[in-house]
C-alpha cells in the first residue's frame, strides 16, 4: 500500500464574502400556509439536538444556477415544508419543551460573492474542513439557539462561475433523512422537469404525535447510551480519556472505495454476514480506541443513529421528516476492542449488530418515556465515539437543474465521526471524516488503513 508522504492539503479561504445588499433576504412561502403550533416529539426536543445541521455543496460552473432561481424555488418548497419558515419557541403548556410556531416568518437567504476562490481550488483541498469555511454561511446574531431561524441559506458565487451552497437546518425539526427529503424537494422545485418526479416524491408528514410519550411513562430498558460511564481501575480512566479528547483536534479524512469495503468485510468478519456500515463502524471504532490508547479496563461506547421509521408499530407515515431515530449503543472495554485476537474484529462487528437489533418498538417507546421523565437528559459522551451516517440519503445527487455537486460534506469538522457519500465518484464508496487529538491523528490513520496490505488496493487519502 502506498502512503502519502505529505499531509493532506487544508484550505484556508482567502478574503471575506461580499454580500449582495448587505443583509440576507427573508424568503417566505409563495402561497398561504397553515398557521398553528407544531408539537415536537421527545426525540425532536432532545437537548443534544439543539443545533443546526450544516451542509456544504460545491457546484462547478456548469452545474451552478442563479441565486434568483434558488430563492424562487425555495419559496415554493416552503409551501409544503412550512414549519421551516416558522420559529421555535418555548411551549406554553409543557415546561421545558419547545414547539414550532408556524407563522411563515420565513427562511434567511444570503447571496454572496467570493472572487478570490474557484471551485477547483476548493476541490483540491475539500476533505478537511477549516475554520475559515464558516464564512460561507451567514452568521445570525441571536441571543439563543431558539432565536435562530430554522433554515438559513447562503449561496456564494465563486470567481470561476461556480457556487458554494451552504444550508443550516434546525435539527430539532428534521433529522438527516428529513433534511435530505426537504433538500430534494427544493431541488425539484428548481428543475423545469420537476413534475415528472412529483409522483414518486413523498409528501411531508408534519404531525409528531405518533412518538408521544405514554401516560404514565414506562422506562423498561436501561438505555446505556444515557448512562454515565463508571471509571474502573484507579478511578481516573474516564478523566484520562476526556483529557485526551480535550487536546487540540485535527480533522482526518479517509475515503474507502467499494473495493476497500468489500476487503474490510472479508478480512474483519469472514464468517459473519454484515453490512458495509457495520463493518466500517466497527473498524473505525477500534482504530479510534487504538489511537487514543486509553486504559484497557475503561468501558468505551460507540453511539450511532438507528432509523426507527419502520421499527415502531405502527410504522411512521411515509414522508415523516421529524427526528425518527434513536441512538444505538455498543459498549466494550478498550482492551477487548483493541485485542489482536483473530476473533476480535468479528466480536466488535457483532456488538454493532446487536446494538441495532435491540431497537424495536418497545425500545423506542421506552426511550421516548425516558426523555419524558428526564427532561434535558443528554447522551453520555465521556468515552464515546459518535458516528453520523450521511450515506444513502441522496445528498450527493442534489440537482437544482444544471447538475450534481462536485463535493458535499459538513461545513465544519466536529468531534463526532461522519460517514459521507463520495460526490461524483464511487457510488458505493464512503468518506470517513472525524476530528481526533492532534497527537493521535497519524496513529488513527495508520490503524484505519493497516488492513489494506495488498498493493492493488491502495487507500485513497483526501
Amino acid at each position: 500500500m502506498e502512503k502519502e508522504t505529505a499531509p493532506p492539503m487544508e484550505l484556508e479561504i482567502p478574503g471575506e464574502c461580499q454580500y449582495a445588499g448587505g443583509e440576507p433576504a427573508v424568503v417566505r412561502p409563495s402561497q398561504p400556509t397553515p398557521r398553528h403550533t407544531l408539537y415536537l416529539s421527545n426525540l425532536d426536543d432532545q437537548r443534544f439536538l439543539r443545533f443546526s445541521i450544516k451542509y456544504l455543496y460545491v457546484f462547478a460552473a456548469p452545474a451552478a444556477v442563479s441565486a434568483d432561481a434558488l430563492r424562487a424555488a425555495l419559496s415554493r418548497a416552503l409551501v409544503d415544508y412550512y414549519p421551516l419558515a416558522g420559529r421555535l419557541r418555548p411551549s406554553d403548556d409543557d415546561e421545558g419543551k419547545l414547539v414550532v410556531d408556524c407563522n411563515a416568518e420565513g427562511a434567511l437567504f444570503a447571496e454572496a460573492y467570493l472572487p478570490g476562490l474557484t471551485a477547483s481550488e476548493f476541490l483540491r483541498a475539500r476533505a478537511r474542513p477549516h475554520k475559515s469555511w464558516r464564512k460561507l454561511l451567514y452568521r445570525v446574531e441571536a441571543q439563543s439557539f431558539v432565536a435562530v431561524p430554522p433554515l438559513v441559506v447562503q449561496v456564494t458565487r465563486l470567481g470561476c462561475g461556480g457556487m458554494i451552497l451552504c444550508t443550516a437546518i434546525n435539527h430539532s425539526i428534521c433529522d438527516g433523512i428529513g433534511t435530505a427529503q426537504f433538500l430534494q424537494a427544493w431541488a425539484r422545485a428548481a428543475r423545469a422537469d420537476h413534475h415528472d418526479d412529483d409522483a414518486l416524491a413523498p409528501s411531508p408528514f408534519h404531525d409528531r404525535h405518533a412518538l408521544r410519550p405514554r401516560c404514565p411513562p414506562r422506562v423498561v430498558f436501561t438505555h446505556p447510551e444515557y448512562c454515565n460511564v463508571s471509571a474502573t481501575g484507579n478511578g481516573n480512566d474516564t478523566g484520562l480519556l476526556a483529557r485526551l479528547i480535550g487536546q487540540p483536534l485535527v480533522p482526518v479524512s479517509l475515503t474507502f472505495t467499494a473495493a476497500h469495503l468489500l476487503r474490510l468485510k472479508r478480512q474483519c468478519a469472514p464468517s459473519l454476514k454484515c453490512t458495509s456500515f457495520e463493518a466500517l463502524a466497527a473498524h473505525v471504532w477500534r482504530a479510534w480506541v487504538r489511537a487514543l490508547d486509553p486504559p484497557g479496563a475503561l468501558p468505551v461506547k460507540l453511539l450511532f443513529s438507528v432509523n426507527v421509521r419502520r421499527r415502531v408499530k405502527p410504522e411512521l407515515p411515509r414522508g415523516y421528516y421529524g427526528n425518527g431515530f434513536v441512538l444505538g449503543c455498543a459498549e466494550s472495554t478498550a482492551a477487548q476492542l483493541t485485542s489482536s485476537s483473530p476473533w476480535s474484529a468479528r466480536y466488535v462487528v457483532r456488538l454493532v449488530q446487536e446494538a441495532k437489533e435491540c431497537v424495536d418498538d418497545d425500545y423506542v417507546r421506552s426511550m421516548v418515556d425516558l426523555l419524558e421523565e428526564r427532561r434535558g437528559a443528554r447522551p453520555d459522551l465521556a468515552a464515546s465515539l459518535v458516528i453520523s451516517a450521511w450515506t444513502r440519503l441522496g445528498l450527493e445527487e442534489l440537482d437544482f437543474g444544471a447538475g450534481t455537486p462536485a463535493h458535499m460534506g459538513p461545513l465544519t469538522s466536529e468531534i463526532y465521526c461522519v460517514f459521507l457519500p463520495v460526490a461524483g465518484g464511487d457510488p458505493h464508496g464512503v468518506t470517513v471524516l472525524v476530528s481526533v487529538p492532534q497527537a493521535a491523528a497519524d496513529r488513527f490513520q495508520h490503524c484505519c488503513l493497516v488492513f489494506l496490505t495488498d498493493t492493488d488496493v491502495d487507500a485513497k487519502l483526501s
Side-chain angles (χ1 to χ4, degrees):
M1 179 186 68
E2 296 179 3
K3 296 183 179 179
E4 291 188 349
T5 57
M9 293 176 62
E10 193 171 57
L11 175 68
E12 181 173 359
I13 295 178
E16 296 295 329
C17 291
Q18 304 170 13
Y19 286 97
E23 294 291 332
V26 176
V27 178
R28 296 183 173 87
S30 60
Q31 300 175 24
T33 56
R35 301 296 179 99
H36 63 95
T37 298
L38 177 67
Y39 165 82
L40 294 178
S41 79
N42 285 352
L43 297 187
D44 293 317
D45 193 27
Q46 299 184 70
R47 292 298 175 92
F48 89 103
L49 295 185
R50 293 188 177 184
F51 67 94
S52 294
I53 307 174
K54 297 179 176 67
Y55 294 121
L56 179 146
Y57 293 90
V58 181
F59 292 86
V65 296
S66 71
D68 287 343
L70 289 172
R71 187 164 44 243
L74 179 60
S75 182
R76 292 192 293 272
L78 287 175
V79 173
D80 288 334
Y81 288 87
Y82 63 87
L84 289 173
R87 294 293 184 269
L88 285 174
R89 65 169 176 82
S91 171
D92 294 330
D93 306 317
D94 204 345
E95 185 177 356
K97 281 190 68 65
L98 297 177
V99 295
V100 182
D101 186 1
C102 299
N103 56 16
E105 280 195 30
L108 292 188
F109 186 101
E111 184 180 351
Y113 184 45
L114 194 60
L117 180 67
T118 66
S120 60
E121 289 171 342
F122 191 97
L123 294 173
R124 283 198 293 270
R126 63 187 174 184
R128 294 180 54 174
H130 187 272
K131 62 182 180 180
S132 65
W133 293 14
R134 295 173 184 171
K135 68 180 68 175
L136 296 170
L137 181 65
Y138 184 83
R139 180 179 176 83
V140 179
E141 298 295 338
Q143 294 296 319
S144 68
F145 163 78
V146 173
V148 177
L151 176 60
V152 179
V153 173
Q154 178 169 323
V155 181
T156 304
R157 191 70 55 185
L158 305 178
C160 62
M163 72 175 189
I164 295 178
L165 172 66
C166 285
T167 60
I169 303 175
N170 190 295
H171 207 329
S172 295
I173 298 177
C174 304
D175 63 6
I177 292 174
T179 59
Q181 183 178 309
F182 163 71
L183 289 168
Q184 291 291 356
W186 180 14
R188 281 194 305 277
R191 295 198 299 266
D193 61 348
H194 70 94
H195 297 294
D196 297 335
D197 303 326
D198 284 349
L200 300 176
S203 298
F205 189 88
H206 303 293
D207 190 83
R208 314 293 168 92
H209 284 89
L211 293 174
R212 63 186 178 275
R214 294 171 290 199
C215 185
R218 300 194 301 276
V219 181
V220 296
F221 290 87
T222 58
H223 298 288
E225 67 275 22
Y226 277 83
C227 295
N228 290 329
V229 173
S230 297
T232 57
N234 62 10
N236 295 321
D237 297 345
T238 302
L240 172 62
L241 189 56
R243 287 197 297 275
L244 282 171
I245 297 176
Q247 294 176 3
L249 299 177
V250 296
V252 176
S253 175
L254 303 170
T255 296
F256 294 82
T257 66
H260 295 157
L261 295 174
L262 180 60
R263 180 68 57 91
L264 183 62
K265 288 196 286 186
R266 287 175 175 172
Q267 290 190 1
C268 293
S271 60
L272 181 66
K273 184 178 180 180
C274 65
T275 66
S276 294
F277 171 82
E278 292 162 355
L280 186 58
H283 180 65
V284 170
W285 186 25
R286 297 182 75 207
W288 183 78
V289 176
R290 282 175 170 156
L292 294 179
D293 194 26
L298 177 70
V300 184
K301 295 177 182 177
L302 172 69
L303 305 179
F304 57 94
S305 58
V306 179
N307 180 14
V308 305
R309 284 165 171 78
R310 294 189 175 183
R311 293 174 183 257
V312 296
K313 298 176 183 178
E315 295 181 1
L316 295 181
R318 184 171 184 259
Y320 188 95
Y321 66 97
N323 285 279
F325 77 95
V326 300
L327 291 175
C329 177
E331 183 175 9
S332 188
T333 65
Q336 290 171 315
L337 292 169
T338 58
S339 170
S340 58
S341 163
W343 293 102
S344 181
R346 188 181 192 278
Y347 160 75
V348 179
V349 172
R350 276 301 299 151
L351 288 178
V352 176
Q353 291 179 329
E354 290 166 1
K356 289 173 62 177
E357 290 164 2
C358 79
V359 178
D360 58 10
D361 181 70
D362 289 337
Y363 190 91
V364 174
R365 302 297 173 185
S366 178
M367 184 73 246
V368 171
D369 290 352
L370 172 70
L371 294 169
E372 184 70 10
E373 288 188 344
R374 295 173 55 188
R375 291 284 173 86
R378 300 172 186 263
D380 171 36
L381 304 179
S384 303
L385 174 66
V386 183
I387 293 178
S388 179
W390 292 8
T391 52
R392 300 194 176 186
L393 298 179
L395 294 170
E396 74 281 13
E397 300 169 357
L398 201 63
D399 184 353
F400 290 93
T404 57
H407 168 77
M408 79 77 45
L411 178 65
T412 58
S413 178
E414 307 292 348
I415 195 169
Y416 57 83
C417 176
V418 183
F419 286 4
L420 297 166
V422 182
D426 185 343
H428 300 293
V430 177
T431 294
V432 175
L433 176 65
V434 60
S435 290
V436 297
Q438 191 167 21
D442 289 343
R443 180 168 171 78
F444 173 75
Q445 178 174 293
H446 170 77
C447 292
C448 273
L449 302 177
V450 70
F451 81 99
L452 296 173
T453 56
D454 291 357
T455 56
D456 61 325
V457 185
D458 294 328
K460 180 183 176 185
L461 306 182
S462 302

